[in-house]
Structures are given as C-alpha cells and as structure tokens.
Amino acid sequence: MTQQMTQPGNTPQQVTALARTDSFTFSCHKGVKCFTECCRMLELALTPYDVLRLRMATGLTSQELLDNYIIIEQDPGEPFPRFYLTMVDDGRASCVFVADQGCTVYEHRPAACRAYPLGRAVIRDENGTMEEHFVLMKEEHCQGFQEPVVQNAQQYSEGQELLTYNSFNDAAAVILQHDSIRKGFIPSAKQIELFILTFYNIDTFREMVLKDRMDSITLTPTEKNRLGNDEELLLFGIEWLRQQLFAPF
Ligand code: SF4
Ligand code: SF4
C-alpha cells in the first residue's frame, strides 16, 4: 500500500528514490514560514489504519467518518475503491482538520501526513515477500529542507511513530496486492461491500460480528472479547476478507 499525500497544484516537485539508510536534511516545526502549507491543496489517501486512528481523534464512528469526512472513488479497471480525506471549500482546499495552530488530530494524524516529505510503498510478490521503497518529495513551498536536521528514512519513520501504521498497511497488502488481483481478479459488488465494511467501517463490522450477523463468522465469547480491541479486529477482518475473496488460494 502506498502512503500518498500529493499536492496536485504545487509543482514543480522533485522526487528522488531513497534507500532506508540514505540520509537527508529536513525538519518540520511550528517555526517554519510554510507551517501548514502542506495541509492544503492535497489529495490525502487514507488507509484502514488511518481511519481507525481518526475515530480515536474525533470520537466519531467509522460510519460517521465515512459519511462526513471521506470521499470514496473507484477508477474503471481498479479492483477496489480508494478513500480520500475531504478538503474544505475555503478557496485553499484546506484539510478538514487543519487550524491556524496546526493539525487538530495531530496525535492520530494519517500515515501520509507523518511520512511527508517521505513517501513509502511496499511491493508484495506472489510468495508474500515484501519489498519496501522510499522516495523523497521536494516541493517548492516546503521550507523544511532548509532546516539543519539530518536523518535517514528509518530514523525519520521512527521519529514520526510510523512503524505501527506501516505494519497495518503492510498487512492489508495481502488483499490489495494478492496474486489473484495481478492476474485480473475483479471483485463482485457484494465483495466490494465487504471490503469497505472490514477495511473502512470497523465499528459496523464489529457490531455485526459481535451480534452474530455475519453468516460465515461464528466466535466463542473469548474470541469476541478479543475483537473488542480495534487493532485485533482490523487484523481479523483482513484475514477473514482474504478468505472471502480468494479462498482456497
Ligand atoms: S490530517 Fe493534520 S497533518 Fe494531515 S493534512 Fe490534515 S491537518 Fe495536515
Ligand atoms: S516544512 Fe514542509 S512539511 Fe513542514 S509545514 Fe512546511 S510544507 Fe509542511
């Protein structure tokens, strides 16, 4: 899964491939002249774990986030829809969560916001082996490259508390980059509904599982108790969806 935070209106943009241990000079803080510039005019793709965390930040349910803050798009030929954070119609296309003092959901901000100006993608081969790639995006408006802090991609990711996000995004690759997808598998409308439910509507999925409203899921009280934990539920949903879409592969 790619962490994506792009600003279509802000070019030119210099994108350089980066190894995990390659150093770069960059720092972002409230003192930079461009503070919060990168929170406007952007396409902010959300992962399932991002939505899980935004629920914590906002106190909203996943259904409320989907209804009010998330745009769902599906390009022809793509197997699954993509999910983007809504921007405000304020003439600057600002993120719904940006304020003068900064990000109002900072503790739970999405992975792409944490990673920027790094971008990270993983490629999963047919044997399940994951290959990680980084790029560094230098956009004209971003003054952080003038700041004298040197780090590599690994150190920057740790400093931004990205590793947990990365682990859940990598877990989702078992669906998004399944070998069947590469071979042209197209999910049915019902399967896309299940994808949205398990990946992006975790509260509704939990309610259906705990109330035994999912035909193919039967759980003991102990297992139900375990799924009270959001992260356990997300991993359970990924594995269950894999079986629904691709079993017996
Ligand atoms: S979620 Fe926060 S950091 Fe990310 S674009 Fe919005 S305001 Fe900026
Ligand atoms: S330094 Fe770059 S990342 Fe930081 S606020 Fe400015 S544009 Fe955003």
Side-chain angles (χ1 to χ4, degrees):
M1 180 172 271
T2 306
Q3 283 162 9
Q4 191 181 4
M5 180 166 167
T6 55
Q7 296 192 288
N10 284 303
T11 52
Q13 180 187 82
Q14 187 190 330
V15 180
T16 324
L18 203 71
R20 176 186 276 266
T21 51
D22 284 349
S23 294
F24 61 100
T25 304
F26 174 86
S27 177
C28 177
H29 52 84
K30 285 191 174 177
V32 292
K33 275 191 274 177
C34 53
F35 186 56
T36 74
E37 270 304 301
C38 51
C39 302
R40 306 170 204 281
M41 294 278 293
L42 75 158
E43 284 178 357
L44 178 44
L46 296 174
T47 69
Y49 190 69
D50 289 335
V51 173
L52 187 157
R53 293 289 295 262
L54 286 175
R55 290 159 54 252
M56 295 181 190
T58 59
L60 298 172
T61 65
S62 52
Q63 184 66 60
E64 289 168 334
L65 280 171
L66 283 170
D67 290 344
N68 298 300
Y69 293 98
I70 296 174
I71 294 168
I72 306 177
E73 289 180 357
Q74 186 167 8
D75 289 335
E78 291 215 322
F80 299 110
R82 292 174 189 265
F83 296 72
Y84 296 95
L85 193 61
T86 307
M87 298 297 135
V88 176
D89 186 11
D90 62 352
R92 304 174 71 193
S94 302
C95 172
V96 282
F97 297 125
V98 72
D100 289 345
Q101 69 274 22
C103 176
T104 58
V105 294
Y106 189 80
E107 288 300 312
H108 298 290
R109 67 197 184 286
C113 307
R114 292 171 187 266
Y116 185 83
L118 270 187
R120 175 183 180 270
V122 289
I123 298 172
R124 179 182 185 273
D125 70 16
E126 65 271 20
N127 303 315
T129 306
M130 309 282 269
E131 199 178 276
E132 184 179 50
H133 297 270
F134 291 100
V135 292
L136 190 65
M137 293 169 284
K138 282 193 180 177
E139 294 185 290
E140 209 169 26
H141 62 272
C142 180
Q143 301 295 308
F145 292 97
Q146 315 302 324
E147 299 291 308
V149 178
V150 179
Q151 65 262 288
N152 61 34
Q154 173 67 24
Q155 291 161 336
Y156 188 74
S157 302
E158 287 171 8
Q160 295 293 319
E161 299 177 8
L162 259 169
L163 303 191
T164 303
Y165 285 72
N166 291 347
S167 72
F168 282 95
N169 296 343
D170 294 355
V174 76
I175 304 288
L176 299 172
Q177 297 189 45
H178 193 278
D179 204 32
S180 301
I181 301 279
R182 266 190 287 269
K183 290 175 178 159
F185 171 81
I186 302 290
S188 66
K190 177 68 188 165
Q191 287 172 322
I192 289 176
E193 270 179 36
L194 294 179
F195 171 83
I196 296 173
L197 178 69
T198 51
F199 270 42
Y200 287 93
N201 199 349
I202 194 167
D203 295 309
T204 305
F205 181 53
R206 171 179 285 125
E207 191 183 335
M208 294 177 76
V209 168
L210 297 188
K211 292 185 176 168
D212 298 320
R213 284 165 44 205
M214 302 292 286
D215 290 343
S216 54
I217 301 178
T218 311
L219 298 174
T220 64
T222 307
E223 288 168 326
K224 286 183 178 177
N225 196 36
R226 181 170 62 84
L227 298 186
N229 177 287
D230 286 342
E231 297 184 349
E232 293 278 356
L233 181 62
L234 183 54
L235 293 176
F236 172 85
I238 290 170
E239 174 53 22
W240 176 78
L241 185 64
R242 187 189 66 78
Q243 291 170 23
Q244 298 303 303
L245 296 180
F246 306 121
F249 303 110

